[in-house]
Amino acid sequence: MQEYKRLYPLFSLCGLNCALCPRYHTDGSSKCPGCGGPEFHLKHPACAVITCNKKHDSVEYCFECSAFPCEKYREPSVNDSFVAYKNVLTDFGKAKDGLANYKKALEEKIKILELLLERYNDGRKKNFYCVAVNLLSLEGLKRVMARVRVEVDPQALDCKAGAKLVTALLEEAAEKERIVIELRK
């Protein structure tokens, strides 16, 4: 694939929240720059969605295409990769209703994820935190983070104990929202 660049690589052409993916938060050679980010074409030499986009309307997001919803988007995906596909159609709807507002909400989720990774990652929670932040509502995440500020003191707890408490709070929020924090393989 030729070089592919986008103005906002944190929310992909196909509707994934790239900035909530564990590969986006990796420091090693497998780090992904997000959809159309720097050297994206080297990390993802073939992308069927980009190829399709070039054949059709060459839009920033699939929901802007004249063929949307095409066969790929008529039904929600039942499999996930590094990031959950469960919310793609819902996220497209939010972005379509107001892209600036969607980006603002995504940026808030990114900040929450970065805080979780910085303070409460025991070396085994990155994937869990990425999936949780992607799937939970922003309001639910804000409630969790308010509780984290009150109930989880990173100075008083070792990293493993803090991660355990934060995980329990995220799972409790997921139960209230009737979602399961896991990837579907």
Side-chain angles (χ1 to χ4, degrees):
M1 175 173 51
Q2 293 179 335
E3 187 171 14
Y4 175 71
K5 291 185 177 181
R6 301 180 69 243
L7 294 175
Y8 191 72
L10 306 181
F11 183 49
S12 73
L13 169 66
C14 67
L16 293 177
N17 292 306
C18 295
L20 303 180
C21 176
R23 287 198 53 212
Y24 184 83
H25 293 279
T26 297
D27 293 328
S29 62
S30 65
K31 180 177 178 62
C32 179
C35 181
E39 299 184 354
F40 175 82
H41 66 293
L42 300 175
K43 301 288 181 180
H44 302 281
C47 176
V49 178
I50 293 170
T51 302
C52 177
N53 186 43
K54 289 180 179 181
K55 290 179 183 176
H56 286 91
D57 299 343
S58 291
V59 294
E60 277 293 302
Y61 304 100
C62 286
F63 71 82
E64 297 171 321
C65 181
S66 60
F68 184 83
C70 62
E71 186 176 322
K72 177 176 176 55
Y73 295 107
R74 285 196 191 104
E75 297 292 326
S77 179
V78 295
N79 295 315
D80 298 320
S81 60
F82 294 101
V83 64
Y85 286 76
K86 291 178 188 178
N87 292 347
V88 166
L89 296 177
T90 303
D91 291 344
F92 268 162
K94 292 175 185 175
K96 191 174 184 177
D97 288 343
L99 189 55
N101 287 336
Y102 184 76
K103 287 179 180 178
K104 182 180 175 189
L106 180 57
E107 297 287 341
E108 286 185 68
K109 282 188 161 198
I110 293 166
K111 286 179 184 175
I112 290 169
L113 176 58
E114 289 172 345
L115 181 85
L116 292 173
L117 292 173
E118 177 187 321
R119 293 189 186 166
Y120 306 105
N121 185 12
D122 63 0
R124 304 179 78 180
K125 293 291 185 232
K126 180 169 53 170
N127 288 348
F128 176 81
Y129 290 157
C130 288
V131 174
V133 172
N134 191 43
L135 295 178
L136 286 167
S137 68
L138 180 57
E139 296 74 25
L141 287 168
K142 286 179 179 180
R143 285 190 295 274
V144 166
M145 296 312 292
R147 289 186 64 191
V148 166
R149 282 189 286 282
V150 172
E151 298 175 30
V152 185
D153 181 358
Q155 276 73 28
L157 297 170
D158 67 19
C159 190
K160 190 173 183 177
K164 186 176 180 179
L165 287 170
V166 170
T167 298
L169 292 173
L170 289 167
E171 286 175 339
E172 181 182 316
E175 190 174 313
K176 286 180 183 174
E177 292 188 24
R178 295 188 175 130
I179 63 169
V180 178
I181 302 176
E182 66 182 26
L183 294 175
R184 303 162 299 159
K185 299 280 183 176

